[in-house]
Structures are given as C-alpha cells and as structure tokens.
Amino acid sequence: MEQKIEKMKALVATLNDAAKAYYQEDREIMSNYEYDALYDQLLALEKETGTVLSNSPSVHVGYEVLSELPKEAHESPMLSLDKTKDVEALKAWLGDHKGSLSWKLDGLTIVLTYQNGVLAKAVTRGNGEIGEVITNNARVFKNLPHRISYNGELILRGEAVIKYSDFKKINDQIEDVDARYKNPRNLCSGSVRQLNNEITAKRNVHFFAFTLVRADGVDFHNSRICQMEWLKSLGFDIVEYKTVTRENIDEAVQYFSSHIEKNDVPSDGLVLTYDNIEYSRSLGTTAKFPRDSMAFKWADETAQTHLLQVEWSASRTGLINPVAVFEPVELEGTTVSRASVHNISIIESLKLGIGDTIEVYKANMIIPQIARNLTESGNLPIPQVCPVCGSPTRIQQVNDTKSLYCTDPDCPAKKIKAYTLFVSRDAFNIEGLSEATLEKFVQKGFIHEFADIFRLNRFKDTITQMDGFGEKSYANLEESIKKARKIILPKFIYSLGIPGVGLANARLICKAFSQDLTAIENAEAEAFTNIPGIGQVIADSVVEFFASEKHRTMVEHLLQEVQIEKEAEEDNDTAVSGKTFVITGSLNHFANRGALKALIESKGGKVAGSVSSKTDYLINNDSTSTSSKNKKARELNIPIMTEEEFIEFMGQ
C-alpha cells in the first residue's frame, strides 16, 4: 500500500506540473497521449487504494490564475468533462435519449453576460471557480455580436479560438522562426488575456457558443438544440454539431473524423450532450464532472515501427533539435516516417536507441509523436559536435528540461538573418529562398557562406526529395539563382549586411568611389566621412568590415560566383539628389512604395521610414490626412506632396 501511495504522489506531481504548464504558462511538457495515460494510472490507483490525495487532478480542475486582470468567481463551477475513446461507451451513456454531438474546441473557454442587449461582461474559465475578466478584449473578437435583440440577462459559454489559417498568417509575419507561436491554443490564450485589447484585435480571435446558461422568459421546448439554434438566430456563431441517437452516433462520429484535417477551427475531440434540459439538470454533477455531457477523444491509432536514426538540426538560437526517423508506417490515412523528439530530456525519458521498437501515433490525428519505446535500449549517442559547423556541443538545463546547444557564436545556423537579407529584393533578389527554406538548407549543411547559395546545384537530388520541393520548384530556384549572378555594386555592398549600410547609403558610397569595389575595400574612414550623408559611425562600420580577413575571404569566394555589372549612369543632378523623403499612404502611379523608393534612390535621394527634422519632403496622396506622419510634418514645417507633385518636382 505504501508503495502505491508513493506512486500516486509522483503521478500527482507530474500531472500537476503538466497542467500548470498548459493552463498557466501556455506551454506543453508532455503530449495529450502521455497525460491521459498517466491520468488513467492515477484513477486506477485511487480506486484500488480508496485514497484521493488533496492535490490530485481528479479533484481539482486547472490552476489559479496569475495575471493583473481582474478576477471574478463564477456563479457555478465550470467543471471539466468525463471522457472516453470508445464509441460504444458513448452509445451506452446516451441510451435511449437524443443528444447533440459537437466539436470539442481547443482554445480558451469564456463566459459571456449580455444585459439589455449589450455585452456586459466576459470572464475566462480560469481554474473553474475563479476566472479573469476580459470584457474589453471580448468586444474586439472578430465575430461576437456587439448588440443582440434579446434584452433580458443572457449568460452563455463558448470557446475563444484562433483559426489555423489566421494562426499561419500571424506566424508568417514573424521573421524570427524561433519566435513563432507553437500552436493556435497558446496564441489564443495569450491574445485573450492581453492587457491591451488592441493586440487582441489584431489576432483575429473568434468565439463559438456551445452552452446557454440563462435566458429567462424564452420557451426552449425543453431542448438544448433549440437553445443553440436560438443563440444562432441572435447572431452568435455556434459550434458545429450533429443531432444524434444511439442509432446514428457511429455515422456522426465518422463525419467529424473525416473532417478533422480540413477543419479550420482547432479541436481536440467531440462533446456529447443530452438534449433534454430537465433531464440534464436532474442528473447533477460529480465533484469533478457534470453528468449531462461526455467528451469523446479519438482512440489514437498507433503503429509499431523501428527507429532508424535521429537527425539533429541546429537553429538560430544555437538549440540543436532531435527528429526521430523511423520505418514508414500508415497512420490516420497517411504515411509517416518522422517525429520531433524536442529535447534531451524526452530522449532520456523514452530511453531511445537506434533499432528500438517504438510505438507512434498522431496527436489529435495530425502531429506524429512517439507514444512509447518498447525495447528501451537507451543507446542513442548525443552529438559531441554541431551538425552544421562541427563545433563542440553542450547540454544545458533550463526549467528542468535538458537541451543540446552549439557553442560556436559564428555557426551558420545562427546567421539566418544575414542569408535572408542577402537574397532579399534589394540585394540579390533570389526568389524561392524564404527564411524557412534557408534555415532548412543551413541545417542540412548546404550553406556555410554566401557563395554556397550559388552552389546549391551540388545538392539537387537531395533538395528535390525535400518536403515542399520537387523538380519544378527546384528548376524555378535554379533559374532565379542564375539571374542573380549579375548584380550592380550598390546591391552587392548592401547584400553583405554591413551594419548601418542600407541600399541608399550603399549607392552614395559606390557613386563616390566610381563603382570601384577594390577602392571601397581599402579606403580609410576619412574617405567615407567626406561623402555627404555618410557619418562617422557608418564609415567606421565599413572600414571594420573590410579589415576582417574572414570577410575579405567571404567576398572573394562570392566574386567567384557572381559578376558585378556597371550601373547605368543616372543624371543625379536633379531636385531629388541629396534630399530625404518619407513615403506614406496608398499610391496610384507606382506599383508599391518599394518602386517609388527605388526611383528616388536612383536619382540620388534617400528614403527614411519616419518623419524627422532631417526629412525634406513627405509624400502622401492624402495631404489633408490626420495621420501621425502628416501631423509631424506640419509641426516641423516639412512640405507634403502628392505623387503628381513629386513627379513634377522630379522633372525640375
């Protein structure tokens, strides 16, 4: 008995740590599969011993909220749902009753209160008893009615979510791959609980109602389904559901199962609820679960396979991530052969070794994961050197998690930003090399310096087999690289990523040195400060860059791959020459701001991002606008001109 109690204590501690990470810190330290397995172990031990520990997750739901947002107790506890993975158990639970089967959405549960037809209060689920008041944030949810036709007190519950499509758009706007959000739920949780609802508004949070708590004076004919349709008639989006009986529940489950991968709204299962309101109320609750609803989670389809290898890939933070490669298996209708293992701690807990028999599954039927290791050889070697640069590695422990890092500050994997600038439109303009693609190529050891980008044909066979690449996309990339082999000197200088040297400054420098790269490489700082518009900081930056033997070698290698062409002579003795412009608002005559910026710079002008005392002109087609840039320009007596006026000015 004593050993079982100790086992229970260990399980409670592990499960509570996982729940704290998930609910309070918006991160995951174990998969749902692992959590469910441990939770079931705990329930079995509690039943066997007759003992339930005070801090057991079978008694308590969630964690206390840690936030500066106001807190408020719920009128009635918001309990979690009992769950099953067996359709037959759902049938037995439903019996002869009618019910509704709906998505179990994976976001943040919110309680809304409307009074006199207007949203009066929004509170998060929190720990089930006390939540956070997020009314201002709820008012900027994308699909929440600001006013409804019902004027009594309306209380309803639903899920705030960020759709997969919006999640992708938000992540795509974040250049730093390591800074991107892990999943829609984490992003939604942080977005809903912002202190500044302007941030919430930008995150495209949607709300889907799933339960009506109170609406006095309305006859719902004793039907929960009728309640849902009434909420829909008021303008609320409701969670998708199917009306079910014991006879058709198999068909309904199959419907949701077949639509999960195409569903834009994150979900992690289904919810079955009795339709009969009075019957539901008569059932009451247990200490943890309501008796009128049951959660269904798909039984994870698992398959046994053998671990072939573990690939290690370095990221820009120096973190080296392990990915398990195993013999291909069929899961949920697709073939999988890879799964992220995340860190050293998980490798150790699974006791992984090459050749081990492992059991794999798809979390939420989407993301491949290792469920368990059946042979646990533990013979997997941890790399002593970085797979990208060959420098020594070290294991660091952060927040009880051990991870592997590269120790070399100059590791190519840490220089993704430099490569991204190098291939950008204002530099070599190589299409098909996104930041994510560059990171993959660096991790695989294809790119160690700029010149290697022009040698990617050495890895054609490997690249065409990579996810997202094929013969056609590779051919397009090769064509783009071919075009990029000829470049003008200002863009070449800009592409090197010299601190402080933008394209406009590069043009000024190249013009002053008569397009002579050798002269630029060997010049003293004074020669640069004599150029109008070039100060001491930029001068020192250029001199320091070319004083580095490593940089000179890098440039030498690059010149073996590309040809610098002479830029067409422009008559820069115009009204634009030497002037600084700021561009704002929409354009009519130019394709985009970049096109107008390129024209100004070709005429010897500069384009800045913000209005300051150094600005000569602000270009804005709406000269009467009350925008911050217009206001600043007026304060500083800076002329505001339209495109037409600029074109006329340029011809002076």
Side-chain angles (χ1 to χ4, degrees):
M1 177 67 77
E2 185 176 341
Q3 288 181 339
K4 292 177 180 178
I5 296 296
E6 290 302 315
K7 176 64 174 176
M8 288 167 59
K9 289 180 179 179
L11 286 170
V12 166
T14 300
L15 290 167
N16 284 345
D17 283 344
K20 180 178 180 181
Y22 186 80
Y23 287 108
Q24 184 176 312
E25 300 169 1
D26 299 329
R27 63 188 182 92
E28 297 178 19
I29 61 175
M30 67 171 62
S31 67
N32 288 340
Y33 185 99
E34 293 169 305
Y35 185 94
D36 290 347
L38 295 178
Y39 186 81
D40 290 343
Q41 283 184 43
L42 177 62
L43 290 183
L45 285 169
E46 287 178 345
K47 183 177 181 180
E48 185 178 345
T49 62
T51 300
V52 179
L53 301 172
S54 61
N55 59 341
S56 170
S58 67
V59 176
H60 296 286
V61 182
Y63 268 82
E64 290 186 15
V65 180
L66 296 179
S67 171
E68 297 178 22
L69 291 167
K71 300 174 185 176
E72 181 174 301
H74 294 297
E75 188 174 297
S76 59
M78 297 182 66
L79 303 174
S80 60
L81 300 178
D82 200 359
K83 62 181 181 291
T84 182
K85 294 183 178 181
D86 184 4
V87 177
E88 292 302 317
L90 281 185
K91 288 182 185 178
W93 181 86
L94 185 60
D96 295 328
H97 298 278
K98 182 171 75 172
S100 65
L101 187 67
S102 63
W103 292 114
K104 183 176 181 292
L105 300 184
D106 192 17
L108 204 65
T109 301
I110 309 290
V111 184
L112 301 180
T113 301
Y114 280 76
Q115 293 177 339
N116 299 317
V118 178
L119 178 65
K121 186 168 56 181
V123 185
T124 68
R125 179 182 182 279
N127 67 357
E129 296 183 0
I130 298 174
E132 297 167 299
V133 180
I134 48 96
T135 311
N136 286 339
N137 294 340
R139 290 192 176 109
V140 298
F141 288 175
K142 292 300 177 184
N143 63 335
L144 200 63
H146 283 213
R147 179 174 289 277
I148 58 175
S149 58
Y150 177 73
N151 290 319
E153 183 179 57
L154 169 66
I155 302 176
L156 69 153
R157 295 174 182 174
E159 198 84 353
V161 299
I162 290 179
K163 297 181 179 180
Y164 284 120
S165 54
D166 289 324
F167 174 73
K168 183 179 185 303
K169 290 176 185 176
I170 293 169
N171 259 352
D172 286 347
Q173 293 169 2
I174 302 173
E175 292 186 358
D176 187 345
V177 175
D178 291 332
R180 291 175 181 169
Y181 298 99
K182 183 178 179 182
N183 56 53
R185 184 197 177 278
N186 287 8
L187 176 58
C188 183
S189 178
S191 300
V192 167
R193 297 159 63 214
Q194 288 288 330
L195 298 178
N196 179 1
N197 70 350
E198 182 179 359
I199 298 174
T200 307
K202 294 177 180 178
R203 301 281 177 81
N204 283 353
V205 179
H206 286 72
F207 177 86
F208 292 90
F210 58 66
T211 298
L212 174 63
V213 178
R214 178 186 305 155
D216 295 334
V218 182
D219 183 5
F220 294 112
H221 309 290
N222 195 32
S223 167
R224 281 233 173 108
I225 293 173
C226 183
Q227 288 181 333
M228 294 298 290
E229 292 301 319
W230 181 73
L231 287 174
K232 187 177 181 180
S233 73
L234 292 179
F236 292 98
D237 282 344
I238 61 173
V239 63
E240 182 184 8
Y241 73 89
K242 296 284 185 184
T243 301
V244 295
T245 62
R246 183 164 52 186
E247 283 70 34
N248 71 345
I249 198 167
D250 284 293
E251 181 182 335
V253 171
Q254 181 56 40
Y255 166 83
F256 285 109
S257 178
S258 65
H259 283 73
I260 188 168
E261 289 196 33
K262 300 175 184 177
N263 189 21
D264 198 24
V265 181
S267 65
D268 57 357
L270 303 174
V271 176
L272 178 60
T273 303
Y274 291 121
D275 181 51
N276 188 308
I277 297 173
E278 292 303 323
Y279 178 71
S280 296
R281 287 175 180 166
S282 72
L283 297 175
T285 67
T286 68
K288 182 175 172 63
F289 307 119
R291 289 194 172 100
D292 63 350
S293 298
M294 169 77 74
F296 172 80
K297 301 187 79 172
W298 282 276
D300 297 305
E301 181 182 339
T302 62
Q304 288 187 16
T305 183
H306 293 96
L307 183 65
L308 301 177
Q309 62 173 308
V310 170
E311 292 182 355
W312 299 83
S313 58
S315 70
R316 72 189 58 195
T317 61
L319 179 66
I320 301 175
N321 301 294
V323 175
V325 181
F326 42 83
E327 293 175 352
V329 291
E330 289 287 324
L331 284 176
E332 313 292 354
T334 61
T335 302
V336 296
S337 60
R338 301 166 64 85
S340 176
V341 194
H342 303 297
N343 53 56
I344 301 293
S345 293
I346 292 177
I347 284 176
E348 290 179 347
S349 67
L350 289 171
K351 298 180 182 176
L352 287 180
I354 303 303
D356 278 350
T357 301
I358 58 176
E359 190 173 83
V360 295
Y361 72 106
K362 277 187 176 180
N364 289 338
M365 301 176 71
I366 297 173
I367 304 169
Q369 300 280 311
I370 298 178
R372 57 190 179 125
N373 183 3
L374 303 179
T375 45
E376 297 187 341
S377 69
N379 65 15
L380 183 71
I382 305 301
Q384 300 298 305
V385 297
C386 172
V388 173
C389 68
S391 298
T393 59
R394 72 168 177 267
I395 295 176
Q396 290 181 212
Q397 184 160 327
V398 180
N399 296 329
D400 300 323
T401 298
K402 288 193 279 188
S403 299
L404 190 67
Y405 289 86
C406 172
T407 59
D408 183 4
D410 293 322
C411 177
K414 299 179 183 180
K415 296 184 176 181
I416 301 299
K417 286 289 184 188
Y419 295 124
T420 304
L421 183 147
F422 182 85
V423 303
S424 66
R425 180 179 299 176
D426 288 339
F428 275 86
N429 191 23
I430 302 177
E431 297 180 0
L433 283 180
S434 66
E435 186 170 328
T437 299
L438 283 167
E439 188 162 21
K440 289 178 183 176
F441 286 176
V442 168
Q443 288 171 349
K444 287 185 173 294
F446 300 167
I447 301 173
H448 296 273
E449 60 174 338
F450 291 144
D452 288 335
I453 291 174
F454 295 92
R455 303 164 182 157
L456 287 172
N457 55 2
R458 296 179 298 180
F459 306 101
K460 176 183 177 180
D461 292 343
T462 304
I463 292 173
T464 53
Q465 298 301 314
M466 290 172 60
D467 289 341
F469 266 92
E471 293 289 345
K472 185 175 180 180
S473 56
Y474 174 81
N476 291 338
L477 175 60
E478 269 296 298
E479 182 63 25
S480 184
I481 291 174
K482 180 181 177 181
K483 291 179 181 178
R485 288 185 182 274
K486 293 182 179 180
I487 191 171
I488 59 174
L489 186 58
K491 290 192 172 187
F492 181 90
I493 294 293
Y494 171 66
S495 75
L496 301 178
I498 302 171
V501 180
L503 184 57
N505 289 330
R507 288 187 185 279
L508 293 175
I509 291 170
C510 293
K511 182 182 178 184
F513 283 88
S514 302
Q515 310 295 320
D516 188 340
L517 175 58
T518 302
I520 294 172
E521 288 179 312
N522 298 312
E524 301 291 337
E526 185 178 356
F528 294 103
T529 56
N530 288 335
I531 303 172
I534 302 297
Q536 190 66 51
V537 173
I538 293 178
D540 290 341
S541 180
V542 176
V543 171
E544 182 180 345
F545 182 88
F546 286 113
S548 164
E549 190 62 35
K550 182 175 67 175
H551 290 157
R552 282 186 175 258
T553 301
M554 176 264 290
V555 170
E556 181 183 329
H557 291 171
L558 184 55
L559 289 173
Q560 293 171 7
E561 300 294 335
V562 304
Q563 177 184 342
I564 296 178
E565 295 187 321
K566 188 174 182 179
E567 187 172 16
E569 290 292 334
E570 292 281 355
D571 179 11
N572 286 336
D573 189 15
T574 66
V576 177
S577 180
K579 304 297 184 183
T580 298
F581 297 81
V582 172
I583 308 169
T584 190
S586 59
L587 300 176
N588 301 320
H589 294 280
F590 294 88
N592 50 49
R593 294 182 192 178
L596 178 53
K597 177 184 176 184
L599 176 61
I600 291 171
E601 291 176 346
S602 72
K603 297 294 182 182
K606 293 182 65 175
V607 177
S610 58
V611 176
S612 71
S613 59
K614 295 181 180 180
T615 304
D616 293 297
Y617 298 96
L618 172 65
I619 300 175
N620 186 356
N621 283 325
D622 185 3
S623 58
T624 62
S625 167
T626 58
S627 69
S628 59
K629 288 180 179 177
N630 276 31
K631 289 179 181 178
K632 187 71 171 178
R634 292 192 186 98
E635 290 173 5
L636 298 173
N637 294 317
I638 293 168
I640 303 173
M641 61 171 62
T642 64
E643 277 179 281
E644 288 82 359
E645 290 169 333
F646 167 75
I647 293 170
E648 183 179 342
F649 173 81
M650 186 175 61
Q652 293 177 1

